Amino acid sequence: MAEHVILIAGPMGAGKTTAIQSLSEIPVVSTEAANTDRATANKATTTVALDYGEITLDGVEKVRLYGVPGQRRFDYMWRILEERALGLILLINNDGQDPVGDMLELIKDFSALQERGGVVIGVTRSDVQEYPHTSQYVDSIREVYPHITAPVFSVDARNRDHMLITLTALLFNIQAQSEAPMEDVA
Amino acid sequence: MKPLHQQEPVREVCAAALQQLGRDCPSMTFAVMVSDDGFEVASAGSHAQQGGRLASMTSSMQALGDAVAREMKLAACDHILLESINGHILQRRIPNHELVLCAVFDHHELVGRAVFATSECASTVSTNLMRQAA
Amino acid sequence: MRPTYTIGFLEVDSYHQVLVRSMVSRAAASLSATWDIAETPKADVVIHGPRAAAKNASGRLNVRLCGQGEISNNPQDLPAPLRLSALLEMLKRAEADFVNTVGVSKAPQIQAAPQAPPVIHETAARTGMLILGETILKSLASQKPGIIKVLCRDREALWIDLRRRAFAAPYALNEMPEDADAIRLEIIAVSADTASPVPTPGTSLDRLLWHVGLRAGAGKPAPWVNPAKRYKLKYWPNFSELPHSITHMNLVARFGSEALTADDASLRCGVDIATVINTMNALTLMGLLNENNGVEIRRLQTVTQPEQVSRVGGLIGRFKSKFGW
């Protein structure tokens, strides 16, 4: 049975667990614990190991969706889970303290996966906090990582269509990047 | 209200219980009490510098244990035992509190004794914290 | 035998490139050589934009396009606004110089792709959508992007505020007529304190540009797109806010990973050329697709990660079946 692992990462409170719940066709396996770090994200629980969901294709082939904890102190889970991953959906909450900085930092943290597969950015909670606009995320990526053409979408993690668009863009991007010829300046 | 790992009375109760665990089991090399979401509340033993990392891992392990138990329609995960050639690690939820104990023992310790000693420690912490809250 | 020479551009805006191209095409009968558009470094005649540095001159003949309102005493300069007569005179002068200096016909400098002869794409008819797209593009490129009022038959006005890159439509964009006669445009000059007719926050201009761009050429290249040129994606459109198909996503991903002509993209994605050109019209109008000037991409016949390609390609196929894309 073919399996494809997609990783969903992002800061605490970005909507990773919700995104997996939107996409998954099975009840999501979650590892939530009571959140004592209310200063970082004001929510009751937080993921401390992983979230897991599945999309089944053709009856047997599965896309496995793994959400990793947002806090850096759990980064061993990032390393464990990224090994088998095909690509990365990076969710960034627009109402964070420095959402663009968070994104740039996480792209660096997952650079091996980005280079091997690909990354797509989903900006959440832009209904709550209008700025920064998605164009600022795009400009920052182009400035710091000029070799990456990562899709940046504004998404609602509760919206299955949004999350499917994000996942599909990731797959197309991985496909196009892996078929692309080497660039050679004439 | 301050998070558990920043509440001094909670830290004191946990630190005292961990010290006692070390006295009861000389083969205990390190123990840490962590909040459910992986913050160190107190620790004891010779590898204290590793506490932060082990605290996060304890939280992940406990949550995975809970998830597996839930998946198998069992009750919540009470304790997890990890055995290796050079020793074992036993982690245990503190009844009625969002805390997890993780204790590392070298190979001199009998598993049964470690299970019993950590159970006693967890029970003591739970009782003392309830008493303190009252 | 009729000689073939080439024209290249250095820092010349798309509008003037299109203008030169269409003038050359109209003047073909008056010229003794065939004139094609080529990659700038290899062109016989290089037309420089008003702000291009003279030290970058690379053609056998280098001429400069004057800026708006600029008066030049240099007979080599092309005056603004550009007139057919001035361009024709310059090209005839070049033809005479080249014959005198070389004395023989020169081989064409544009190398056709080895796999297939170049496809000639007809240009698009001047529909309402095309005129609207051109107007927005020119206004955005001007010093003072202002307000555009779009009147469609008996409907209320659609307002575009280019300063805020936002618009307000009193009806769904799909209800907008596409023929030229049904749309009337008014460009409204603005000062710093001109109030915006678009309520805050308005709808993102990208939504309108995507809609207009996809329809502007009806399968043929809009004037702001040269399908023979290679284009590379600057960044992805925000697809969560745009009505799109899976084909659009596929094309965008391809243009993101390599510089492609319309024909290349059609072959790479297995998509009909009309859809490719419509998508290019839209992406270029949105400023997301750039001509890949000065950089050539070496064509490789082999894929770089064949296992990954077949794995992901198969996965996308099964997603298509599952979700009925």
Side-chain angles (χ1 to χ4, degrees):
Chain A
M1 182 169 71
E3 294 176 346
H4 313 279
V5 172
I6 300 293
L7 216 60
I8 302 184
M12 193 176 170
K16 300 178 292 294
T17 304
T18 310
I20 293 181
Q21 282 165 343
S22 299
L23 284 169
S24 178
E25 293 168 343
I26 61 161
V28 172
V29 176
S30 61
T31 57
E32 303 250 307
N35 173 32
T36 60
D37 185 12
R38 294 295 181 106
T40 304
N42 190 17
K43 57 179 197 159
T45 60
T46 185
T47 300
V48 292
L50 53 84
D51 292 313
Y52 173 74
E54 282 178 7
I55 299 172
T56 305
L57 305 168
D58 278 0
V60 287
E61 191 167 359
K62 282 185 196 301
V63 176
R64 299 188 185 278
L65 306 160
Y66 284 100
V68 296
Q71 303 96 315
R72 200 163 287 279
R73 66 181 190 279
F74 295 109
D75 62 0
Y76 51 88
M77 291 305 302
W78 305 358
R79 301 285 86 91
I80 292 168
L81 292 172
E82 79 170 341
E83 277 177 23
R84 289 163 57 220
L86 190 61
L88 172 71
I89 295 175
L90 202 50
L91 293 181
I92 306 289
N93 48 313
N94 215 32
D95 59 347
Q97 282 191 339
D98 178 15
V100 173
D102 287 343
M103 174 196 66
L104 294 174
E105 193 68 23
L106 283 161
I107 291 176
K108 188 173 77 186
D109 287 325
F110 287 97
S111 59
L113 179 54
Q114 192 283 319
E115 279 162 29
R116 191 176 74 235
V119 60
V120 53
I121 318 294
V123 179
T124 60
R125 299 180 65 80
S126 38
D127 54 333
V128 177
Q129 174 64 46
E130 191 183 350
Y131 297 101
H133 191 260
T134 49
S135 60
Q136 288 170 264
Y137 290 87
V138 169
D139 291 344
S140 301
I141 296 174
R142 293 179 66 205
E143 192 184 319
V144 181
Y145 307 108
H147 60 291
I148 300 177
T149 314
V152 179
F153 303 147
S154 53
V155 298
D156 181 339
R158 297 164 297 185
N159 185 318
R160 180 172 162 80
D161 286 344
H162 280 190
M163 295 320 302
L164 269 177
I165 288 169
T166 309
L167 177 57
T168 314
L170 175 65
L171 296 179
F172 274 119
N173 213 22
I174 295 170
Q175 184 187 42
Q177 301 289 344
S178 43
E179 284 185 5
M182 302 286 285
E183 287 202 357
D184 184 20
V185 177
Chain B
M1 197 167 92
K2 280 183 179 176
L4 277 176
H5 62 278
Q6 288 174 0
Q7 292 178 30
E8 206 47 46
V10 174
R11 290 168 63 98
E12 281 171 12
V13 165
C14 293
L18 296 181
Q19 297 291 342
Q20 184 59 46
L21 179 63
R23 284 192 290 274
D24 292 347
C25 302
S27 62
M28 184 197 90
T29 57
F30 182 67
V32 63
M33 190 72 78
V34 308
S35 64
D36 264 10
D37 60 345
F39 286 103
E40 179 180 325
V41 177
S43 65
S46 55
H47 299 288
Q49 73 279 7
Q50 294 174 3
R53 191 75 166 167
L54 185 63
S56 301
M57 287 182 158
T58 299
S59 163
S60 299
M61 287 276 285
Q62 188 64 38
L64 281 168
D66 286 342
V68 174
R70 214 169 31 241
E71 200 70 11
M72 295 296 105
K73 307 274 189 283
L74 302 174
C77 172
D78 179 67
H79 68 268
I80 295 170
L81 174 65
L82 195 154
E83 281 196 75
S84 77
I85 294 169
N86 293 327
H88 29 264
I89 298 172
L90 208 145
Q91 69 176 64
R92 181 181 291 281
R93 188 172 286 291
I94 307 299
N96 308 312
H97 295 278
E98 288 165 351
L99 290 168
V100 181
L101 161 69
C102 177
V104 183
F105 301 91
D106 68 23
H107 64 281
H108 293 109
E109 194 63 70
L110 294 172
V111 172
R113 182 167 166 69
V115 170
F116 176 76
T118 53
S119 175
E120 284 291 295
C121 177
S123 176
T124 305
V125 171
S126 178
T127 308
N128 289 346
L129 286 178
M130 300 251 272
R131 199 172 289 152
Q132 193 180 69
Chain C
M1 187 180 149
R2 190 177 163 92
T4 300
Y5 301 121
T6 52
I7 301 173
F9 299 102
L10 189 67
E11 294 181 36
V12 174
D13 61 83
S14 311
Y15 168 74
H16 279 96
Q17 292 192 26
V18 172
L19 195 62
V20 168
R21 206 173 291 130
S22 70
M23 283 178 173
V24 168
S25 160
R26 272 154 50 203
S30 320
L31 294 160
S32 55
T34 300
W35 287 89
D36 286 330
I37 306 299
E39 295 288 341
T40 298
K42 298 175 184 169
D44 295 305
V45 172
V46 175
I47 300 177
H48 298 235
R51 284 183 291 277
K55 62 179 167 48
N56 291 332
S58 60
R60 297 163 75 194
L61 176 64
N62 293 280
V63 294
R64 188 175 155 277
L65 199 60
C66 288
Q68 205 66 37
E70 179 186 340
I71 296 164
S72 168
N73 295 322
N74 187 343
Q76 292 282 44
D77 287 354
L78 289 168
L82 183 61
R83 302 271 177 225
L84 178 60
S85 54
L87 184 72
L88 200 57
E89 191 187 319
M90 181 274 286
L91 292 176
K92 283 181 173 171
R93 198 169 62 236
E95 285 173 350
D97 285 354
F98 294 167
V99 169
N100 288 338
T101 53
V102 180
V104 290
S105 304
K106 204 170 163 292
Q109 293 201 357
I110 295 178
Q111 296 297 315
Q115 301 94 328
V119 176
I120 306 301
H121 297 279
E122 289 177 56
T123 50
R126 296 193 66 74
T127 62
M129 289 288 155
L130 189 140
I131 293 165
L132 177 55
E134 258 186 334
T135 308
I136 295 173
L137 208 53
K138 278 184 194 166
S139 301
L140 281 172
S142 70
Q143 299 272 322
K144 270 190 168 180
I147 292 166
I148 299 173
K149 184 181 183 183
V150 184
L151 291 162
C152 301
R153 295 201 182 98
D154 52 351
R155 313 298 287 268
E156 272 183 69
L158 179 152
W159 290 96
I160 306 168
D161 190 338
L162 297 174
R163 298 168 302 177
R164 290 174 41 215
R165 288 191 67 91
F167 77 101
Y171 46 82
L173 291 180
N174 283 334
E175 294 170 25
M176 210 169 168
E178 291 179 23
D179 47 312
D181 297 341
I183 292 186
R184 202 165 49 120
L185 304 177
E186 288 175 25
I187 298 174
I188 296 163
V190 292
S191 60
D193 54 356
T194 305
S196 176
V198 178
T200 307
T203 311
S204 165
L205 182 65
D206 282 347
R207 182 86 192 248
L208 181 67
L209 296 178
W210 176 249
H211 178 88
V212 170
L214 284 179
R215 290 157 182 80
K220 299 194 173 65
W224 56 84
V225 168
N226 178 354
K229 285 247 179 186
R230 289 194 188 128
Y231 285 82
K232 182 96 167 44
L233 188 78
K234 269 167 74 180
Y235 55 91
W236 280 63
N238 188 355
F239 272 133
S240 63
E241 292 180 356
L242 302 173
H244 66 278
S245 71
I246 206 75
T247 304
H248 294 134
M249 209 175 256
N250 190 2
L251 285 166
V252 165
R254 294 291 172 167
F255 278 114
S257 65
E258 55 184 315
L260 299 169
T261 63
D263 295 324
D264 290 339
S266 172
L267 280 170
R268 280 255 190 233
C269 299
V271 173
D272 66 283
I273 191 75
T275 304
V276 173
I277 287 177
N278 285 340
T279 311
M280 290 175 78
N281 287 344
L283 293 172
T284 313
L285 186 60
M286 293 166 84
L288 304 184
L289 212 52
N290 280 351
E291 278 186 27
N292 204 49
N293 283 334
V295 177
E296 290 193 0
I297 305 297
R298 184 177 57 190
R299 283 168 186 278
L300 296 186
Q301 299 305 313
T302 53
V303 291
T304 50
Q305 298 177 51
E307 281 177 22
Q308 184 92 313
V309 170
S310 75
R311 183 182 177 195
V312 181
L315 187 56
I316 291 170
R318 283 180 282 285
F319 260 88
K320 282 182 184 170
S321 326
K322 180 176 176 91
F323 295 105
W325 294 333

